[in-house]
């Protein structure tokens, strides 16, 4: 009998085709609506491979019923939606899609920084609503990004790609990680600082750490209070790293200038969320890696990893 794969979201047929040639493939039939927990649980009990999205919570309880499952391949570089320990205990390999999305996500981070600091969204909204009656001397004035100091929290693959872009804007780059990266400091002319110093000195703060027990709530009331009144906060890695209640207060009270958010504690962010009432928030729906080319390349990595495991080879990008 051929091994069976369950794909938790409707993906383009031509990308799924190579799997169909070799295996039995079942796929959730909606692109917009996530698979239900009940269906996921049922499939996990039966299949040999699972192709997951970052919206699928694959926790210990969910994995309990897995008896044949050999591999979970996640369409993302982040894997905080999967309980790696529980998977390991059951001998299930977990893979992700690093590197191929680095440049695309860095583009989004810099784009979001520009849009936020220069107030693209409120300016465009005003124009569309007929508010552009005349050029005004101080209308929609924002903050420069060129020649400023940017602090990157999480100088990993994407952090480095943002740092490279920042140099084109004549930006001084500070970074904070748990470990210093001397080679990166030399190569990209970036400076290591403690987190508090980064928050105090940066004109723009970009968050690029993974979501872990350690980074959960890393940027709260105290950290936001260290930032400059003119500073922007750009959050591109995962919701839950920034405390949204504290962020709302800081933005509402204008103790920081603005925030650009691609990720949220709850996704999709509820439309009545207080953050969405603020003009100094630029919000986009988790589109960091969302270019046609990159999403397709990410999917090809998932296909390769699933095929490798099901055919007895070691896959690339195993994370557990
Ligand atoms: P990466 O190469 O693993 O980089 C992560 C960096 O964070 C590392 O340099 C790491 O350095 C640092 N870090 C980890 N824990 C830390 C902590 N507790 N305190 C300070 N620094 C810490 O990952 P990447 O490929 O750049 O991706 C980063 C994250 O971006 C992913 O985990 C994912 O969640 C997110 N992402 C989002 C999108 C999107 O669509 N919005 C797209 C792609 C990726 P140390 O180990 O030295 O601390």
């Amino acid at each position: 009998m051929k091994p069976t794969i369950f794909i938790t979201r409707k993906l383009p047929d031509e990308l799924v085709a190579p799997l169909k040639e070799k295996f039995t493939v079942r796929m959730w039939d909606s692109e917009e609506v996530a698979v239900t927990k009940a269906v996921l649980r049922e499939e996990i009990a039966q299949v040999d491979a699972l192709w997951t999205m970052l919206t699928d919570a694959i926790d210990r309880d969910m994995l309990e019923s897995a008896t044949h499952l050999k591999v979970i391949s996640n369409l993302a570089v982040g894997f905080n939606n999967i309980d790696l320990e529980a998977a390991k205990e059951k001998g299930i390999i977990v893979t992700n899609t690093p590197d191929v999305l680095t440049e695309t996500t860095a583009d989004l981070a810099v784009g979001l920084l520009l849009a936020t600091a220069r107030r693209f969204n409120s300016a465009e909204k005003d124009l569309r609503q007929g508010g552009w009656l005349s050029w005004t001397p101080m209308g929609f004035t924002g903050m420069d990004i060129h020649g400023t100091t940017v602090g990157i929290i999480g100088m990993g693959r994407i952090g480095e790609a943002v740092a490279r872009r920042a140099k084109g804007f004549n930006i001084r780059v500070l970074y904070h990680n748990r470990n210093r990266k001397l080679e990166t400091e030399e190569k990209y002319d970036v400076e290591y600082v403690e987190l508090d110093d980064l928050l105090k000195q940066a004109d723009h703060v970009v968050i690029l750490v993974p979501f872990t027990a350690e980074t959960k709530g890393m940027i709260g009331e105290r950290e936001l209070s260290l930032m400059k009144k003119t500073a922007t906060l750009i959050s591109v890695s995962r919701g839950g790293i920034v405390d949204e209640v504290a962020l709302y207060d800081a933005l509402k009270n204008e103790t920081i200038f603005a925030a650009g958010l691609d990720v949220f504690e709850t996704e999709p962010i509820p439309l009545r969320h207080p953050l969405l009432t603020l003009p100094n928030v630029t919000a986009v729906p988790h589109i960091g890696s969302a270019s046609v080319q990159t999403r397709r390349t990410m999917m090809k990595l998932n296909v390769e990893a699933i095929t490798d495991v099901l055919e007895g080879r070691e896959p690339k990008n195993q994370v557990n």
Side-chain angles (χ1 to χ4, degrees), residues 52-102:
T52 51
M53 313 298 124
L54 52 82
T55 44
D56 305 317
I58 312 291
D59 54 20
R60 183 173 287 277
D61 176 51
M62 217 14 127
L63 288 172
E64 206 101 289
S65 62
T67 48
H68 306 79
L69 192 58
K70 295 175 191 63
V71 57
I72 302 171
S73 196
N74 207 36
L75 183 66
V77 64
F79 40 78
N80 51 290
N81 57 310
I82 301 169
D83 186 329
L84 295 191
E85 270 309 304
K88 194 169 185 173
E89 284 167 26
K90 292 202 137 234
I92 301 165
I93 290 171
V94 179
T95 71
N96 69 342
T97 61
D99 302 313
V100 298
L101 47 57
T102 295

Side-chain angles (χ1 to χ4, degrees), residues 54 76-80 96-99 101-102 104-105 108 153-160 175-181 195 207-215 218 235-238 241 262-263 286-290 295 298:
L54 52 82
V77 64
F79 40 78
N80 51 290
N96 69 342
T97 61
D99 302 313
L101 47 57
T102 295
T104 299
T105 309
L108 187 277
I153 306 176
M155 183 58 82
R157 288 168 291 227
I158 303 171
E160 286 188 9
Y175 80 97
H176 178 73
N177 268 5
R178 288 168 302 182
N179 309 291
R180 260 185 92 159
K181 292 172 81 175
L195 181 59
I207 299 173
L208 281 166
V209 285
F211 181 75
T212 63
E214 239 182 327
T215 61
M218 185 182 198
S235 178
V236 184
S237 56
R238 282 289 183 273
I241 295 167
D262 183 41
V263 290
H286 204 145
I287 56 168
S289 65
R295 284 286 163 81
M298 289 163 68

